[in-house]
Amino acid sequence: MIRYIRWCACFCALLLAALLVNVARVQVWEAAAYGANPANKRPAVERYAEPRGDILVDGRPVTGSRDSGQLLRYERTYENGPLYAPVTGFSSQTYGTSLLERAEDAILAGTDPGLSAFPLWYELARGRPSGGNAETTVRAGVQRAAYTGLAGRRGAAVALEPATGRILALVSSPSYDPAELSGTGGPVKAAWARLNADPARPMLNRALRETYPPGSTFKIVTAAAALDAGVVADVDAPTQTPDPYPLPGTNTLLPNAGSGCQDASMAEAVQWSCNTVMAKIGVRVGLRAMVDAARRFGFNEEGLRVPAWVSRSNFDTDMSPDQLALSSIGQFNTRATPLQMAMVAAAVAGGGELPSPYLVERTTQDDGDQVRRGRPHGLGRAMSPATALRLQEMMVAVVENGTGHNAAIPGAVVGGKTGTAQHGVGNAGTPYAWFIGWAKAQDAPLPGVAVAVVVEDAEARRGDISGNGAAAPIARAVMEAALAAPAKR
């Protein structure tokens, strides 16, 4: 009898050992596979079981959470959703996250280890701290000025603080309300389908993700390259440039949009946006030096994040002389994001140093204790300080006596550059109107804001003036708002 009991005990022990091995297999070796199984709803239920942390502008939340009473309990809400959508992106229970909602998801969702002094405790307890907050560098008044100025037209506007790289405004137009995508069910799917089918592409962040031919605003890069390379020593000296200018190696004549560009100096070419002069200067600088100059300004560089990712701006590295001439005036294959062109303006305003743009001032726990802080840093020197000073003088002349007079602000020093970018087959598309610039309060030691504005559907009688008519007034309103109230630190 005792022998049978022992056999039974041994058999039970084997069963227990097998059970423990299977538990270990499920809990350890196959845990990831089970967790990733689409049928497993526990991660989603846990993710939305608590309110999400907020994104702040000027210290006030522009996001929130609503108790839906459903299985996925808390849905994202947005205050002034279309105004801040290019900053926040969306947080959807159906379609995931985008932009800042994605880049700072760990903080907002409460899964970042920095939110707790004892992260291991939450791991063992299968819990998590409350979602933290992301305080942005955006200033409400500057953001609203850009949004109001674009007035639903296709385009984008970016404002930076030149000394630090803080993004003061980030607007893409037309916009959308991310609250439409927050929950689940038919209305969310219908909104997603409608927004993606819209030919105006309202969910495209044109400020960060779209690249445009920068047109004549790129002449600032070409002028910087010429000055730093010593190709132009005197910005006021005649350049011996014909009007029109024969593109090298071709029978094609490059015209100007206006008159007075025959034999103009580089300063006059920037002031009145002479294609012929700046194309010739770009050819004289040469391909290698132009590529190097464009790279110093941020072109052809991968991996820029603010912290959302930014599309790469392009300046071709292998071109014939005629292609180089066109590229030097922002045409051919030259393409840039509005953020990139704001960086160009900021580099001029900042004495030649290219700032690294950033959107998050700091992240905090839900009680306000700091987790991480954004640190201003430069991306390198785009040009010498002497070159930056000369370009500042030339850009001021553009606004005071040239093509950019609509950007002038009484009581402030404003420098700028207008531009028109042709596009489409045979340049048949409506030109893109550009303005880049910077502004300094009269009693301030340094410029306080740099901007870039592009308007896609800008009608104009002649090339570069469309930048003055369509984009410069928006830039002026943005710069006025930035100078009106210094940012709180």
Side-chain angles (χ1 to χ4, degrees):
M1 184 67 180
I2 294 176
R3 183 176 61 179
Y4 293 115
I5 293 174
R6 287 175 179 170
W7 287 354
C8 183
C10 289
F11 182 67
C12 289
L14 287 174
L15 290 178
L16 179 61
L19 180 61
L20 292 174
V21 169
N22 188 58
V23 168
R25 177 183 67 84
V26 172
Q27 294 288 340
V28 179
W29 284 282
E30 297 188 15
Y34 283 120
N37 191 307
N40 179 18
K41 297 187 180 300
R42 288 186 62 185
V45 173
E46 291 175 0
R47 176 179 175 86
Y48 298 107
E50 299 291 336
R52 189 170 172 84
D54 286 321
I55 297 172
L56 311 181
V57 173
D58 283 344
R60 302 175 63 179
V62 296
T63 60
S65 295
R66 181 181 71 86
D67 189 347
S68 67
Q70 304 297 316
L71 183 62
L72 304 183
R73 184 172 174 184
Y74 284 96
E75 295 179 359
R76 197 56 149 165
T77 62
Y78 294 89
E79 181 180 336
N80 294 318
L83 174 63
Y84 292 112
V87 176
T88 64
F90 60 79
S91 177
S92 170
Q93 294 172 336
T94 306
Y95 298 107
T97 55
S98 69
L99 298 172
L100 208 53
E101 293 275 26
R102 171 174 290 183
E104 296 294 348
D105 183 68
I107 287 286
L108 300 169
T111 60
D112 191 292
L115 290 171
S116 172
F118 306 102
L120 183 60
W121 167 256
Y122 285 100
E123 187 70 24
L124 294 173
R126 295 187 176 276
R128 66 181 186 189
S130 299
N133 299 324
E135 297 185 10
T136 71
T137 59
V138 172
R139 290 163 55 190
V142 186
Q143 181 81 1
R144 189 170 293 279
Y147 182 79
T148 302
L150 283 166
R153 290 176 292 175
R154 298 186 195 185
V158 179
L160 301 177
E161 189 176 71
T164 63
R166 289 184 177 94
I167 298 176
L168 307 179
L170 187 72
V171 170
S172 176
S173 179
S175 189
Y176 71 103
D177 188 354
E180 293 185 282
L181 306 176
S182 291
T184 58
V188 170
K189 292 180 180 179
W192 178 263
R194 172 175 50 80
L195 290 169
N196 279 285
D198 191 332
R201 298 188 297 170
M203 287 200 297
L204 170 65
N205 191 316
R206 289 171 163 87
L208 301 180
R209 306 280 168 81
E210 184 72 299
T211 59
Y212 301 89
S216 292
T217 60
F218 191 81
K219 292 171 183 175
I220 297 301
V221 177
T222 302
L227 289 168
D228 275 349
V231 170
V232 174
D234 182 359
V235 298
D236 296 314
T239 57
Q240 311 299 318
T241 305
D243 184 7
Y245 168 66
L247 293 177
T250 74
N251 294 322
T252 302
L253 297 178
L254 178 67
N256 290 296
S259 59
C261 291
Q262 176 87 24
D263 197 26
S265 67
M266 188 170 78
E268 292 170 328
V270 171
Q271 182 178 356
W272 298 107
S273 210
C274 298
N275 291 334
T276 52
V277 174
M278 299 309 298
K280 180 182 177 182
I281 287 174
V283 173
R284 289 178 59 201
V285 171
L287 177 61
R288 177 173 297 182
M290 280 298 300
V291 169
D292 287 346
R295 179 188 54 77
R296 291 195 299 272
F297 276 95
F299 285 80
N300 299 340
E301 295 294 329
E302 304 279 0
L304 180 63
R305 292 182 175 273
V306 295
W309 66 270
V310 181
S311 293
R312 173 183 178 271
S313 296
N314 180 73
F315 187 83
D316 275 4
T317 58
D318 184 12
M319 292 181 281
S320 60
D322 60 309
Q323 293 168 340
L324 176 59
L326 293 174
S327 295
S328 299
I329 58 172
Q331 297 288 348
F332 189 54
N333 288 334
T334 304
R335 297 187 71 88
T337 62
L339 176 65
Q340 172 62 68
M341 296 314 297
M343 291 166 64
V344 170
V348 175
E353 187 72 20
L354 185 69
S356 178
Y358 67 101
L359 193 54
V360 178
E361 189 67 56
R362 65 173 189 151
T363 55
T364 68
Q365 299 175 3
D366 66 329
D367 61 4
D369 287 347
Q370 182 171 295
V371 177
R372 285 184 294 274
R373 189 172 189 88
R375 299 294 181 188
H377 67 278
L379 296 175
R381 184 157 287 283
M383 72 199 97
S384 71
T387 293
L389 182 60
R390 288 183 179 181
L391 286 175
Q392 287 177 16
E393 295 170 348
M394 287 190 282
M395 292 178 76
V396 168
V398 169
V399 174
E400 292 186 349
N401 300 298
T403 60
H405 58 86
N406 278 342
I409 300 173
V413 179
V414 179
K417 181 69 191 81
T418 56
T420 296
Q422 306 293 334
H423 68 102
V425 178
N427 290 333
T430 302
Y432 299 143
W434 278 92
F435 184 89
I436 66 171
W438 50 267
K440 178 175 77 73
Q442 210 153 41
D443 56 348
L446 297 171
V449 60
V451 300
V453 176
V454 61
V455 180
E456 293 185 20
D457 47 354
E459 297 289 351
R461 293 182 182 177
R462 48 162 282 205
D464 291 296
I465 296 301
S466 69
N468 181 59
I474 302 171
R476 180 187 64 227
V478 172
M479 291 186 290
E480 280 181 318
L483 296 181
K488 297 180 181 178
R489 299 287 180 253

